Amino acid sequence: MTRASLEKQPHEVASMFDDVAAKYDLTNDVLSLGQARLWRKEVARAVAARPAEKVLDLAAGTATSSQPFAATGAYVVPCDFSLGMLREGKRRHPWMPFTAGDGTRLPFADEVFDAVTISFGLRNVQDTDRALRELYRVTKPGGRIVICEFSHPTWAPLRTVYSEYLMRALSPAARAVSSNPEAYVYLAESIRAWPDQPALAARLQDAGWSKVAWRDLTGGIVALHRGVRA
């Protein structure tokens, strides 16, 4: 079984996600206690994709996250660097234009997309700031970014309970439903090491994004960050 380190070497992270591709969506639903589906709905509202718009869904995995955008009539490109995830996604959604790509070196021209989005994948990219700049590069002027990522609960009692769940309950639960439970130990550690809401907002601004704002979901367990390319 493959487990990535917090140094986030691309080959380690990609291999880890290859291992969990088949059951990844099911495992997420179980471990999030059903919240993952609600978070996806909030992402779809925030992106607000419209017919004929071009949307990049980075770290799309099997493209479960891409389906709400496609349902609006937008042209959606699911992009991921895990070939295992892409193969599983193509099996489920053969009509979608799955694209292999690294978030720090996107295989797209400048100013292509009306909207770019990444859900629960930014913290797995080796160079967060470079990825934010790359997303800026491929977005049209006036285009928008939506990032959905695990964050830091704002209420202290919830923060304590959540931290205990991550490090004590998540791993046994993952062993029951995942093909690679060790991967979820890494995921728990990466969540705890991730910057809080204001810190990620500052990094978006440093990458060039304007009108940066965020909204907490589930008490701050997840945060939805937004920005606009000037």
Side-chain angles (χ1 to χ4, degrees), residues 155-180:
W155 187 44
L158 175 60
R159 189 159 56 242
T160 300
V161 171
Y162 177 60
S163 181
E164 290 296 310
Y165 170 73
L166 276 178
M167 301 315 296
R168 296 189 180 186
L170 188 144
S171 183
R175 278 196 292 272
V177 293
S178 173
S179 56
N180 183 1

mmCIF file of all heavy atoms in Angstrom, residues 155-180:
data_model
loop_
_atom_site.group_PDB
_atom_site.id
_atom_site.type_symbol
_atom_site.label_atom_id
_atom_site.label_comp_id
_atom_site.label_asym_id
_atom_site.label_seq_id
_atom_site.Cartn_x
_atom_site.Cartn_y
_atom_site.Cartn_z
ATOM 1 N N TRP A 155 -15.094 27.103 16.140
ATOM 2 C CA TRP A 155 -15.594 26.954 17.506
ATOM 3 C C TRP A 155 -14.685 25.972 18.239
ATOM 4 O O TRP A 155 -14.503 24.834 17.785
ATOM 5 C CB TRP A 155 -17.039 26.451 17.464
ATOM 6 C CG TRP A 155 -17.732 26.410 18.793
ATOM 7 C CD1 TRP A 155 -17.717 27.352 19.761
ATOM 8 C CD2 TRP A 155 -18.558 25.341 19.283
ATOM 9 N NE1 TRP A 155 -18.482 26.962 20.844
ATOM 10 C CE2 TRP A 155 -19.017 25.732 20.560
ATOM 11 C CE3 TRP A 155 -18.967 24.123 18.755
ATOM 12 C CZ2 TRP A 155 -19.859 24.925 21.328
ATOM 13 C CZ3 TRP A 155 -19.804 23.320 19.510
ATOM 14 C CH2 TRP A 155 -20.247 23.708 20.790
ATOM 15 N N ALA A 156 -14.086 26.402 19.332
ATOM 16 C CA ALA A 156 -13.066 25.605 20.009
ATOM 17 C C ALA A 156 -13.522 24.189 20.369
ATOM 18 O O ALA A 156 -12.788 23.221 20.135
ATOM 19 C CB ALA A 156 -12.560 26.342 21.249
ATOM 20 N N PRO A 157 -14.727 23.997 20.946
ATOM 21 C CA PRO A 157 -15.150 22.614 21.260
ATOM 22 C C PRO A 157 -15.236 21.731 20.013
ATOM 23 O O PRO A 157 -14.838 20.561 20.045
ATOM 24 C CB PRO A 157 -16.515 22.811 21.911
ATOM 25 C CG PRO A 157 -16.461 24.190 22.493
ATOM 26 C CD PRO A 157 -15.661 24.992 21.508
ATOM 27 N N LEU A 158 -15.764 22.287 18.910
ATOM 28 C CA LEU A 158 -15.832 21.512 17.677
ATOM 29 C C LEU A 158 -14.429 21.197 17.168
ATOM 30 O O LEU A 158 -14.173 20.091 16.670
ATOM 31 C CB LEU A 158 -16.614 22.277 16.615
ATOM 32 C CG LEU A 158 -16.669 21.639 15.213
ATOM 33 C CD1 LEU A 158 -17.318 20.257 15.272
ATOM 34 C CD2 LEU A 158 -17.416 22.544 14.237
ATOM 35 N N ARG A 159 -13.509 22.157 17.300
ATOM 36 C CA ARG A 159 -12.137 21.948 16.839
ATOM 37 C C ARG A 159 -11.499 20.779 17.579
ATOM 38 O O ARG A 159 -10.813 19.949 16.984
ATOM 39 C CB ARG A 159 -11.338 23.229 17.053
ATOM 40 C CG ARG A 159 -9.972 23.210 16.424
ATOM 41 C CD ARG A 159 -9.438 24.622 16.217
ATOM 42 N NE ARG A 159 -9.415 25.396 17.442
ATOM 43 C CZ ARG A 159 -10.121 26.519 17.642
ATOM 44 N NH1 ARG A 159 -10.903 26.989 16.700
ATOM 45 N NH2 ARG A 159 -10.027 27.178 18.777
ATOM 46 N N THR A 160 -11.763 20.681 18.885
ATOM 47 C CA THR A 160 -11.198 19.594 19.680
ATOM 48 C C THR A 160 -11.780 18.251 19.264
ATOM 49 O O THR A 160 -11.053 17.271 19.056
ATOM 50 C CB THR A 160 -11.473 19.834 21.181
ATOM 51 O OG1 THR A 160 -10.874 21.067 21.567
ATOM 52 C CG2 THR A 160 -10.905 18.711 22.028
ATOM 53 N N VAL A 161 -13.102 18.195 19.147
ATOM 54 C CA VAL A 161 -13.768 16.941 18.746
ATOM 55 C C VAL A 161 -13.309 16.516 17.360
ATOM 56 O O VAL A 161 -13.024 15.337 17.106
ATOM 57 C CB VAL A 161 -15.301 17.118 18.781
ATOM 58 C CG1 VAL A 161 -15.996 15.905 18.144
ATOM 59 C CG2 VAL A 161 -15.777 17.321 20.210
ATOM 60 N N TYR A 162 -13.204 17.467 16.448
ATOM 61 C CA TYR A 162 -12.815 17.171 15.074
ATOM 62 C C TYR A 162 -11.390 16.637 15.018
ATOM 63 O O TYR A 162 -11.094 15.670 14.309
ATOM 64 C CB TYR A 162 -12.943 18.447 14.240
ATOM 65 C CG TYR A 162 -12.515 18.311 12.800
ATOM 66 C CD1 TYR A 162 -13.139 17.409 11.945
ATOM 67 C CD2 TYR A 162 -11.492 19.116 12.290
ATOM 68 C CE1 TYR A 162 -12.750 17.301 10.615
ATOM 69 C CE2 TYR A 162 -11.111 19.010 10.958
ATOM 70 C CZ TYR A 162 -11.743 18.107 10.134
ATOM 71 O OH TYR A 162 -11.354 18.006 8.831
ATOM 72 N N SER A 163 -10.491 17.248 15.763
ATOM 73 C CA SER A 163 -9.105 16.792 15.784
ATOM 74 C C SER A 163 -9.007 15.364 16.307
ATOM 75 O O SER A 163 -8.262 14.533 15.781
ATOM 76 C CB SER A 163 -8.257 17.728 16.642
ATOM 77 O OG SER A 163 -6.908 17.310 16.651
ATOM 78 N N GLU A 164 -9.796 15.059 17.345
ATOM 79 C CA GLU A 164 -9.803 13.702 17.891
ATOM 80 C C GLU A 164 -10.338 12.710 16.866
ATOM 81 O O GLU A 164 -9.829 11.598 16.723
ATOM 82 C CB GLU A 164 -10.643 13.652 19.169
ATOM 83 C CG GLU A 164 -10.017 14.375 20.351
ATOM 84 C CD GLU A 164 -8.712 13.716 20.784
ATOM 85 O OE1 GLU A 164 -8.712 12.485 20.978
ATOM 86 O OE2 GLU A 164 -7.703 14.431 20.905
ATOM 87 N N TYR A 165 -11.369 13.112 16.140
ATOM 88 C CA TYR A 165 -11.945 12.230 15.110
ATOM 89 C C TYR A 165 -10.925 11.948 14.021
ATOM 90 O O TYR A 165 -10.745 10.801 13.592
ATOM 91 C CB TYR A 165 -13.189 12.873 14.494
ATOM 92 C CG TYR A 165 -13.700 12.146 13.251
ATOM 93 C CD1 TYR A 165 -14.338 10.917 13.376
ATOM 94 C CD2 TYR A 165 -13.520 12.679 11.980
ATOM 95 C CE1 TYR A 165 -14.795 10.231 12.252
ATOM 96 C CE2 TYR A 165 -13.970 12.009 10.848
ATOM 97 C CZ TYR A 165 -14.611 10.790 10.995
ATOM 98 O OH TYR A 165 -15.052 10.122 9.886
ATOM 99 N N LEU A 166 -10.232 12.989 13.580
ATOM 100 C CA LEU A 166 -9.260 12.822 12.495
ATOM 101 C C LEU A 166 -8.190 11.802 12.859
ATOM 102 O O LEU A 166 -7.855 10.920 12.068
ATOM 103 C CB LEU A 166 -8.595 14.157 12.169
ATOM 104 C CG LEU A 166 -9.324 15.105 11.226
ATOM 105 C CD1 LEU A 166 -8.522 16.390 11.072
ATOM 106 C CD2 LEU A 166 -9.552 14.470 9.867
ATOM 107 N N MET A 167 -7.634 11.922 14.040
ATOM 108 C CA MET A 167 -6.464 11.122 14.381
ATOM 109 C C MET A 167 -6.810 9.795 15.047
ATOM 110 O O MET A 167 -5.994 8.884 15.078
ATOM 111 C CB MET A 167 -5.534 11.933 15.294
ATOM 112 C CG MET A 167 -5.045 13.229 14.662
ATOM 113 S SD MET A 167 -4.480 13.079 12.934
ATOM 114 C CE MET A 167 -3.061 12.000 13.118
ATOM 115 N N ARG A 168 -8.029 9.649 15.578
ATOM 116 C CA ARG A 168 -8.366 8.404 16.272
ATOM 117 C C ARG A 168 -9.436 7.575 15.563
ATOM 118 O O ARG A 168 -9.321 6.357 15.464
ATOM 119 C CB ARG A 168 -8.826 8.707 17.696
ATOM 120 C CG ARG A 168 -7.740 9.329 18.551
ATOM 121 C CD ARG A 168 -8.149 9.407 19.998
ATOM 122 N NE ARG A 168 -7.108 10.014 20.825
ATOM 123 C CZ ARG A 168 -7.161 10.104 22.148
ATOM 124 N NH1 ARG A 168 -8.205 9.644 22.803
ATOM 125 N NH2 ARG A 168 -6.174 10.673 22.816
ATOM 126 N N ALA A 169 -10.470 8.234 15.079
ATOM 127 C CA ALA A 169 -11.588 7.485 14.499
ATOM 128 C C ALA A 169 -11.456 7.300 12.994
ATOM 129 O O ALA A 169 -11.949 6.320 12.441
ATOM 130 C CB ALA A 169 -12.908 8.200 14.811
ATOM 131 N N LEU A 170 -10.789 8.238 12.314
ATOM 132 C CA LEU A 170 -10.747 8.170 10.859
ATOM 133 C C LEU A 170 -10.013 6.922 10.367
ATOM 134 O O LEU A 170 -10.476 6.246 9.450
ATOM 135 C CB LEU A 170 -10.104 9.435 10.299
ATOM 136 C CG LEU A 170 -10.156 9.591 8.766
ATOM 137 C CD1 LEU A 170 -10.349 11.057 8.400
ATOM 138 C CD2 LEU A 170 -8.906 9.058 8.100
ATOM 139 N N SER A 171 -8.892 6.611 10.965
ATOM 140 C CA SER A 171 -8.109 5.473 10.485
ATOM 141 C C SER A 171 -8.852 4.148 10.623
ATOM 142 O O SER A 171 -8.910 3.365 9.664
ATOM 143 C CB SER A 171 -6.770 5.413 11.223
ATOM 144 O OG SER A 171 -5.972 4.364 10.715
ATOM 145 N N PRO A 172 -9.467 3.835 11.789
ATOM 146 C CA PRO A 172 -10.251 2.586 11.872
ATOM 147 C C PRO A 172 -11.420 2.563 10.896
ATOM 148 O O PRO A 172 -11.718 1.518 10.301
ATOM 149 C CB PRO A 172 -10.743 2.580 13.325
ATOM 150 C CG PRO A 172 -9.777 3.434 14.060
ATOM 151 C CD PRO A 172 -9.361 4.501 13.102
ATOM 152 N N ALA A 173 -12.067 3.715 10.709
ATOM 153 C CA ALA A 173 -13.188 3.772 9.764
ATOM 154 C C ALA A 173 -12.703 3.516 8.347
ATOM 155 O O ALA A 173 -13.348 2.819 7.559
ATOM 156 C CB ALA A 173 -13.893 5.118 9.859
ATOM 157 N N ALA A 174 -11.542 4.085 7.997
ATOM 158 C CA ALA A 174 -10.988 3.882 6.662
ATOM 159 C C ALA A 174 -10.641 2.422 6.421
ATOM 160 O O ALA A 174 -10.825 1.906 5.315
ATOM 161 C CB ALA A 174 -9.750 4.754 6.473
ATOM 162 N N ARG A 175 -10.173 1.722 7.468
ATOM 163 C CA ARG A 175 -9.842 0.303 7.299
ATOM 164 C C ARG A 175 -11.069 -0.516 6.928
ATOM 165 O O ARG A 175 -10.964 -1.532 6.247
ATOM 166 C CB ARG A 175 -9.218 -0.246 8.592
ATOM 167 C CG ARG A 175 -7.745 0.070 8.722
ATOM 168 C CD ARG A 175 -7.079 -0.785 9.782
ATOM 169 N NE ARG A 175 -7.539 -0.465 11.115
ATOM 170 C CZ ARG A 175 -7.004 0.476 11.890
ATOM 171 N NH1 ARG A 175 -5.990 1.196 11.430
ATOM 172 N NH2 ARG A 175 -7.468 0.707 13.096
ATOM 173 N N ALA A 176 -12.236 -0.056 7.357
ATOM 174 C CA ALA A 176 -13.464 -0.803 7.083
ATOM 175 C C ALA A 176 -13.953 -0.625 5.653
ATOM 176 O O ALA A 176 -14.626 -1.512 5.115
ATOM 177 C CB ALA A 176 -14.555 -0.387 8.066
ATOM 178 N N VAL A 177 -13.641 0.505 5.022
ATOM 179 C CA VAL A 177 -14.246 0.793 3.716
ATOM 180 C C VAL A 177 -13.251 1.073 2.600
ATOM 181 O O VAL A 177 -13.624 1.054 1.425
ATOM 182 C CB VAL A 177 -15.217 2.002 3.806
ATOM 183 C CG1 VAL A 177 -16.416 1.644 4.659
ATOM 184 C CG2 VAL A 177 -14.513 3.238 4.344
ATOM 185 N N SER A 178 -11.983 1.327 2.920
ATOM 186 C CA SER A 178 -11.019 1.737 1.889
ATOM 187 C C SER A 178 -10.079 0.595 1.529
ATOM 188 O O SER A 178 -9.730 -0.241 2.368
ATOM 189 C CB SER A 178 -10.196 2.936 2.367
ATOM 190 O OG SER A 178 -9.164 3.222 1.451
ATOM 191 N N SER A 179 -9.639 0.599 0.264
ATOM 192 C CA SER A 179 -8.659 -0.381 -0.194
ATOM 193 C C SER A 179 -7.249 -0.037 0.277
ATOM 194 O O SER A 179 -6.348 -0.859 0.196
ATOM 195 C CB SER A 179 -8.691 -0.472 -1.728
ATOM 196 O OG SER A 179 -8.472 0.811 -2.298
ATOM 197 N N ASN A 180 -7.052 1.184 0.757
ATOM 198 C CA ASN A 180 -5.735 1.617 1.235
ATOM 199 C C ASN A 180 -5.917 2.535 2.438
ATOM 200 O O ASN A 180 -5.803 3.759 2.326
ATOM 201 C CB ASN A 180 -4.967 2.338 0.118
ATOM 202 C CG ASN A 180 -3.553 2.741 0.543
ATOM 203 O OD1 ASN A 180 -3.127 2.475 1.668
ATOM 204 N ND2 ASN A 180 -2.824 3.397 -0.345
#
